[in-house]
């Protein structure tokens, strides 16, 4: 029996030998350093390490992305 595809979940796929994570809106998370995928019976869990910015607040992040 195939697993039901849950549109609200992120999706893990393989591209060029590396795991990639796609969000439900179609964006692929970039700058992943490492992923560990634990494939369960009905779904999988993914632990990710990624390169990212650090700011003090959501407002500051939005401000910097809009500059």
């Amino acid at each position: 029996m195939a697993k039901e595809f849950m549109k609200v979940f992120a999706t893990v796929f393989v591209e060029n030998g590396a795991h990639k994570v796609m969000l439900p809106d179609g964006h692929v998370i970039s700058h992943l350093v490492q992923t560990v995928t634990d494939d369960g019976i009905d779904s999988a869990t993914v632990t990710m390490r990624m390169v990212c910015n650090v700011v003090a607040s959501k407002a500051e992040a939005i401000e910097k992305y809009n500059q």
Side-chain angles (χ1 to χ4, degrees):
M1 177 186 223
K3 296 178 186 178
E4 180 181 354
F5 188 85
M6 303 295 292
K7 291 184 178 183
V8 296
F9 290 176
T11 300
V12 177
F13 63 97
V14 177
E15 182 176 78
N16 298 324
H19 284 116
K20 302 286 182 167
V21 178
M22 179 181 287
L23 300 177
D25 66 2
H27 286 88
V28 176
I29 297 176
S30 59
H31 305 293
L32 287 177
V33 175
Q34 177 185 22
T35 60
V36 177
T37 303
D38 182 15
D39 192 14
I41 294 173
D42 294 324
S43 63
T45 58
V46 177
T47 303
M48 298 179 291
R49 290 181 58 179
M50 60 189 295
V51 177
C52 59
N53 300 302
V54 177
V55 295
S57 67
K58 180 179 177 181
E60 183 180 353
I62 291 169
E63 176 187 336
K64 289 188 177 289
Y65 280 124
N66 289 326
Q67 290 179 350

